Amino acid sequence: MNSLHRKKVWRENLGSYAFLVPWLLGFLVLTLYPMMYSLYLSFTKFNIRTPPEWIGLRNYLVMFTGTDALPKDERFLNSVFVTFKFVFISVPLKLVFALAVAMLMNKKLKMIGLYRALYYIPTLLGGSVAIAVLWRRLFAGDGLINMILSGVFGLENLPAWISNPKYSLYTLILLAVWQFGSPMIIFLAGLQQIPREYYEASSVDGAGKVRQFLAITLPSLSPIIFFNFVMQMISAFQSFTQAFIVSGGSGGPLDSTMFYSLYLYIKGFGFSEMGYAAAMAWVLLIIIAGLTAISFRASGNLVSYGSGE
């Protein structure tokens, strides 16, 4: 009886299983297998031309402490520092700017749809090679930025922002903040879900705009702020194109724009150290997963999911 029942269930669900097969094959072949193989490669010395050679934890030891035969990889540690600096400056600034613009776009203005589309364009273009090349020219010693600063404001002896290690990273941070369209759209959707009655009632009680923002807008948007923060943090840790184009693929000047993903690319494809690059990829995964877990842990008292009823 049980056997007949199982056969009947199998026949009834055969169509569903058939639709699952393409996704399952894609997941196993294109996602799970590459991940597991890269984990294996992270414990090997592998340069594509020769078969992987098992070396245990040596790749990981070289990153952080060094071994008796190999010194600690200072460029790796520098790439971690540069990436953390980029992430924890650019992400808060982008979210603040995105929220400010979203609040402006939440007004009832003529042609508001056009304004929203225009403000979203930087997100569509910002990650492209063309914009990175343009950014490099804008902040060059003879670029448009210096022409404006010298011609309009009369400033002299201006640095070449891109080629100066003191300022080069901040030009990339500015580029990242300029791509605020995606979180702006999400903030705008959240703002439109806040009942107007909240603001009307608070106005009757004498609350001003600042008080309304702190007591109504921010608490109501806290889940969206948290979502945007996590998503933008994960994206920022994986930044590659801008640093690659602006620095010419070197991470210069003086490794000041050596993002983690860029150094991973250089080790893997520049020096053919695929095993080391695979280990770096897994370290990055652990960093992102750890910071995401900490964010969720810390969000308990900061994020309100109440219905507002």
Side-chain angles (χ1 to χ4, degrees):
M1 189 68 179
N2 289 335
S3 177
L4 292 175
H5 178 70
R6 283 196 296 268
K7 289 181 179 180
K8 182 180 179 181
V9 172
W10 173 260
R11 285 195 300 268
E12 290 176 349
N13 294 292
L14 186 59
S16 302
Y17 297 146
F19 280 109
L20 283 174
V21 167
W23 177 88
L24 188 60
L25 288 176
F27 173 73
L28 293 175
V29 176
L30 301 178
T31 302
L32 185 61
Y33 172 73
M35 285 183 62
M36 294 300 100
Y37 191 62
S38 72
L39 180 61
Y40 162 72
L41 290 179
S42 71
F43 297 101
T44 67
K45 180 181 179 182
F46 178 49
N47 62 7
I48 298 180
R49 296 184 297 271
T50 59
E53 175 189 347
W54 183 267
I55 57 173
L57 294 173
R58 192 172 76 184
N59 287 328
Y60 295 96
L61 292 175
V62 168
M63 290 183 202
F64 299 102
T65 63
T67 65
D68 294 337
L70 296 171
K72 180 171 60 176
D73 188 352
E74 298 293 345
R75 295 189 77 190
F76 166 79
L77 297 177
N78 176 73
S79 72
V80 173
F81 172 76
V82 169
T83 304
F84 268 82
K85 186 177 180 180
F86 171 78
V87 170
F88 289 108
I89 294 178
S90 66
V91 171
L93 288 177
K94 179 190 288 189
L95 295 184
V96 169
F97 197 63
L99 179 56
V101 175
M103 294 184 70
L104 291 176
M105 294 298 101
N106 196 36
K107 306 294 183 182
K108 293 182 179 180
L109 302 174
K110 293 182 179 179
M111 302 177 66
I112 190 66
L114 175 62
Y115 296 143
R116 292 170 182 171
L118 290 175
Y119 277 111
Y120 189 71
I121 287 177
T123 294
L124 300 177
L125 301 178
S128 67
V129 173
I131 293 298
V133 172
L134 176 62
W135 212 258
R136 184 176 183 177
R137 287 302 311 149
L138 282 174
F139 288 92
D142 57 349
L144 181 62
I145 300 299
N146 279 357
M147 292 175 61
I148 294 174
L149 292 175
S150 60
V152 177
F153 299 100
L155 301 178
E156 299 180 354
N157 300 320
L158 295 169
W161 306 97
I162 288 294
S163 57
N164 190 317
K166 290 183 179 180
Y167 310 111
S168 55
L169 179 62
Y170 296 101
T171 63
L172 296 181
I173 291 174
L174 187 61
L175 175 57
V177 174
W178 181 63
Q179 302 170 50
F180 62 87
S182 179
M184 179 202 72
I185 292 296
I186 298 174
F187 279 137
L188 181 58
L191 287 169
Q192 293 177 345
Q193 297 302 312
I194 301 176
R196 300 305 305 173
E197 291 81 1
Y198 292 177
Y199 296 101
E200 294 169 0
S202 64
S203 296
V204 173
D205 291 338
K209 295 295 183 181
V210 175
R211 180 62 179 170
Q212 288 178 346
F213 176 76
L214 295 176
I216 299 174
T217 305
L218 280 184
S220 299
L221 286 180
S222 58
I224 296 175
I225 294 172
F226 176 66
F227 171 80
N228 272 333
F229 172 77
V230 172
M231 297 304 295
Q232 293 301 319
M233 179 185 68
I234 293 172
S235 177
F237 267 109
Q238 301 174 72
S239 296
F240 171 80
T241 303
Q242 300 91 329
F244 180 83
I245 299 299
V246 168
S247 69
S250 66
L254 301 178
D255 286 350
S256 59
T257 59
M258 183 64 79
F259 287 177
Y260 194 101
S261 296
L262 177 57
Y263 188 52
L264 189 156
Y265 171 85
I266 291 172
K267 295 296 285 187
F269 295 96
F271 297 106
S272 295
E273 298 181 18
M274 289 295 181
Y276 191 86
M280 285 187 62
W282 278 94
V283 170
L284 179 60
L285 174 64
I286 293 171
I287 291 173
I288 293 176
L291 289 175
T292 302
I294 292 172
S295 300
F296 273 93
R297 183 78 174 182
S299 68
N301 297 325
L302 300 175
V303 178
S304 172
Y305 295 98
S307 63
E309 298 296 335

